[in-house]
Amino acid sequence: MSEKTLLHQTAALLGDFGIGVETLANGDVPVTSPIDGSRIATIRGHGRKDLDSMIAPAERAFLAWREVPAPRRGELVRLFAEQLRQHKAALGRLVSIEAGKILEEGQGEVQEMIDICDFAVGLSRQLYGRVIASERPGHRMLESWHPLGPVGIITAFNFPVAVWSWNAAIALVCGDPLIWKPSDKTPLCALACNALLGHAIERFGEMPEELRRGLSQVAIGGAELGEALAEDRRVPLLSATGSTRMGGTVGPRVAERFGRTILELGGNNGMIVAPSADLGLALRAILFAAVGTAGQRCPTLRRLFVHDDIVETLIPRLKRAYEQVKIGNPLEPGTLVGPLIGEAAFGAMQQALDEAKRDGGHVSGGERVLAERWPAAFYVQPALVEMPGQSALVRRETFAPILYVMRYRDLEEAIATHNAVPQGLASSIFTTDLREAELFTSAAGSDCGIVNVNIGPSGAEIGGAFGGEKETGGGREAGSDSWKAYMRRMTTTVNYSRELPLAQGIRFEVDAP
Ligand code: NAD
């Protein structure tokens, strides 16, 4: 593939969204594709001053947007979903070009955006409060939910569009404007999404100018810009997705100013395969969860615990399946594994494999491939590493396709080992034994936010709350009652009697003057 081809394809795709070449050629921030390492655009980056000039209009937009009735706000999200349906193929392809995902997964991300929009539209008529029984006669107590303010959204490279939409769709119906700092590796996807939301805003009808300007904005930059967003008191909620290192920096910054966070950080996801498991199903699930997206999903399967009785059957089959996975250009049909995001990811993978060998691990795969064809891109054979135990290396997240395989004999011990890592995102068990499945999902089972039975840990659907415990950050997005994080809770007591009784029966009387 020539550099020209990807450059032109990118310009054509963005042109369809209404983004002209002047935006893609005249900046100071180079954007490259992991497919061949070529430059696909050079866009303008933003500094702290630019961010300041985005937050002020977002504050003004908030004052107008919070007064638009929630079902009407839902109408904007419905229009956005229409745009996404219309442009699904193009946006999915852009995800593939910029993040290196195979076409199927790029399209899947856009479908996920459509799904969260549909969810949010329904939600816009269901931002329910509650009426609470008061202990005082002639009194009514109620709880209601109000818009919060501008929401800062920091996203990672590996889900360059879906994660923003989880936040954006819900925040918009909740009455909050958006300021998005995407990964510096995938800014074009952000410009494209924002342009599509802009088309929806145009179709929405009458809107005051300050609302049109400040409802959704994108700030292009790296860690420093993210930190500026985290520190700004005018942003009451920061939803940040990325590494635990990043969360460790932004979490305290937001806490210092008493802001709120939704943190969606690193995972180190495990699966237990029990003796009664349907091995055919398990094999397919392991393959997708461990090598899909080149091992660069947050819930990618990284640790596999196989019962002693089936290890000699499952692992040789798994190795054969690994050998058949087609690695290559993610834009070509049939490819299952695209490139790593870049050289640093490749370096981290090789370091981890060297450490695994020193720890007594047996490594299959892991080597670089297609280097002659694409010297500036980093394609790898996914690695399967049989480990004698859960070393310090295995307890860390290496964001690459490495699956550590360990044996177990006793399920309770396996669960304890599974939980003995700092992260707590996703987990699964393959078993047909009801007792084992129930134990794994019980209070004494997996300590993760996502706990699956007979499906892999990755590939969540909209509707359930997504997120994890411990160093994964504790945030929840995308489903269930996660919308509450984007609103402020109000408790109200109304006295419709002619008396003024105090709670807890307290008497505080004076002779009324
Ligand atoms: P990263 O932490 O390098 O970057 C993520 C985002 O944070 C980027 O926008 C980056 O510019 C910004 N950032 C980095 N340092 C920052 C700082 N000090 N202050 C403010 N912003 C900062 O992560 P990545 O390499 O883009 O993505 C991979 C990581 O993200 C993995 O650890 C993966 O598990 C995690 N992830 C988690 C989830 C989840 O839902 N739990 C989803 C996707 C990715």
Side-chain angles (χ1 to χ4, degrees):
M1 181 183 331
S2 77
E3 179 174 329
K4 213 173 157 192
T5 317
L6 281 183
L7 185 76
H8 282 175
Q9 276 189 50
T10 306
L13 288 168
L14 288 162
D16 280 352
F17 304 138
I19 300 168
V21 270
E22 65 290 349
T23 307
L24 303 177
N26 299 324
D28 48 347
V29 178
V31 186
T32 56
S33 168
I35 296 179
D36 62 1
S38 68
R39 189 173 291 200
I40 49 174
T42 314
I43 59 171
R44 192 172 92 76
H46 295 119
R48 278 184 182 250
K49 266 199 175 146
D50 300 303
L51 186 67
D52 187 60
S53 64
M54 291 180 190
I55 297 176
E59 273 193 303
R60 287 195 291 276
F62 172 61
L63 300 182
W65 191 236
R66 68 181 180 181
E67 299 218 33
V68 174
R72 178 85 183 121
R73 298 194 295 249
E75 170 63 6
L76 174 63
V77 175
R78 193 191 66 75
L79 291 169
F80 180 44
E82 263 181 21
Q83 290 292 315
L84 292 169
R85 286 185 165 90
Q86 203 177 321
H87 295 281
K88 179 176 171 182
L91 186 56
R93 193 171 181 86
L94 183 64
V95 169
S96 297
I97 292 175
E98 204 180 22
K101 290 188 177 192
I102 60 170
L103 279 180
E104 194 71 23
E105 292 186 69
Q107 307 274 313
E109 254 206 85
V110 185
Q111 185 56 49
E112 202 170 340
M113 299 177 82
I114 295 168
D115 295 344
I116 191 70
C117 285
D118 289 354
F119 179 89
V121 174
L123 189 63
S124 70
R125 290 181 185 271
Q126 300 174 77
L127 300 172
Y128 297 138
R130 60 173 99 202
V131 177
I132 302 158
S134 170
E135 67 185 43
R136 288 171 277 189
H139 283 59
R140 186 163 61 88
M141 248 201 311
L142 56 130
E143 185 175 84
S144 44
W145 296 87
H146 293 305
L148 185 66
V151 174
I153 304 167
I154 293 178
T155 53
F157 80 84
N158 65 327
F159 276 91
V161 295
V163 167
W164 168 74
S165 72
W166 293 355
N167 287 282
I170 305 282
L172 284 174
V173 300
C174 289
D176 304 333
L178 320 167
I179 299 165
W180 181 11
K181 197 216 75 64
S183 164
D184 37 352
K185 299 184 181 94
T186 53
L188 301 181
C189 283
L191 296 180
C193 291
N194 206 45
L196 291 179
L197 180 54
H199 298 334
I201 290 174
E202 276 162 30
R203 285 168 177 71
F204 184 69
E206 279 295 295
M207 211 187 239
E209 184 47 36
E210 69 268 21
L211 188 49
R212 194 177 294 275
R213 178 157 139 55
L215 195 53
S216 175
Q217 301 172 87
V218 175
I220 302 292
E224 203 197 325
L225 201 64
E227 284 173 21
L229 193 57
E231 285 161 10
D232 202 300
R233 290 180 178 275
R234 294 168 295 175
V235 178
L237 170 65
L238 182 78
S239 175
T241 300
S243 57
T244 295
R245 186 169 36 84
M246 178 275 287
T249 305
V250 301
R253 302 263 170 113
V254 181
E256 252 172 37
R257 59 175 178 87
F258 298 99
R260 277 193 214 166
T261 49
I262 299 174
L263 296 178
E264 298 282 354
L265 310 174
N268 191 358
N269 317 294
M271 180 196 288
I272 294 176
V273 187
S276 69
D278 178 331
L279 291 189
L281 278 192
L283 192 79
R284 281 161 51 201
I286 294 166
L287 202 63
F288 173 69
V291 313
T293 327
Q296 300 172 113
R297 278 181 179 238
C298 38
T300 284
L301 177 62
R302 309 200 181 279
R303 299 177 297 135
L304 183 67
F305 302 92
V306 185
H307 193 273
D308 271 340
D309 291 355
I310 50 169
V311 83
E312 305 304 340
T313 319
L314 183 66
I315 300 308
R317 279 177 73 181
L318 193 56
K319 282 185 182 165
R320 285 199 295 280
Y322 261 60
E323 282 159 14
Q324 283 164 28
V325 167
K326 189 173 166 225
I327 304 157
N329 181 351
L331 299 175
E332 279 170 13
T335 300
L336 290 181
V337 176
L340 293 176
I341 192 66
E343 188 167 8
F346 173 70
M349 178 175 181
Q350 297 312 305
Q351 260 182 23
L353 294 177
D354 289 344
E355 191 175 332
K357 286 177 199 156
R358 289 199 298 277
D359 287 347
H362 180 268
V363 178
S364 315
E367 57 282 342
R368 187 171 174 190
V369 295
L370 301 167
E372 280 177 19
R373 188 164 169 207
W374 292 306
F378 295 87
Y379 292 80
V380 289
Q381 187 73 42
L384 203 60
V385 184
E386 290 155 273
M387 291 295 291
Q390 187 162 264
S391 62
L393 165 72
V394 179
R395 290 198 293 273
R396 284 202 305 270
E397 178 195 52
T398 300
F399 212 57
I402 303 176
L403 178 61
Y404 301 109
V405 183
M406 289 157 283
R407 293 166 170 257
Y408 82 91
R409 184 90 239 141
D410 172 74
L411 181 60
E412 285 179 26
E413 268 175 32
I415 292 174
T417 313
H418 170 275
N419 291 348
V421 294
Q423 313 81 356
L425 181 54
S427 58
S428 81
I429 188 167
F430 270 77
T431 179
T432 53
D433 180 329
L434 182 68
R435 287 184 182 135
E436 290 188 334
E438 289 293 328
L439 176 65
F440 192 66
T441 54
S442 76
S446 163
D447 63 0
C448 290
I450 294 166
V451 185
N452 292 339
V453 177
N454 292 332
I455 66 163
S458 69
E461 60 183 86
I462 290 308
F466 184 88
E469 303 299 332
K470 304 191 288 186
E471 286 189 6
T472 302
R476 291 295 188 280
E477 299 178 322
S480 185
D481 63 353
S482 62
W483 60 271
K484 290 179 176 171
Y486 301 82
M487 301 200 86
R488 108 186 127 83
R489 184 193 305 249
M490 179 179 285
T491 305
T492 304
T493 308
V494 178
N495 176 6
Y496 58 91
S497 76
R498 293 178 194 280
E499 305 296 327
L500 194 66
L502 298 178
Q504 295 90 43
I506 292 172
R507 299 180 67 82
F508 198 86
E509 305 279 345
V510 287
D511 286 337

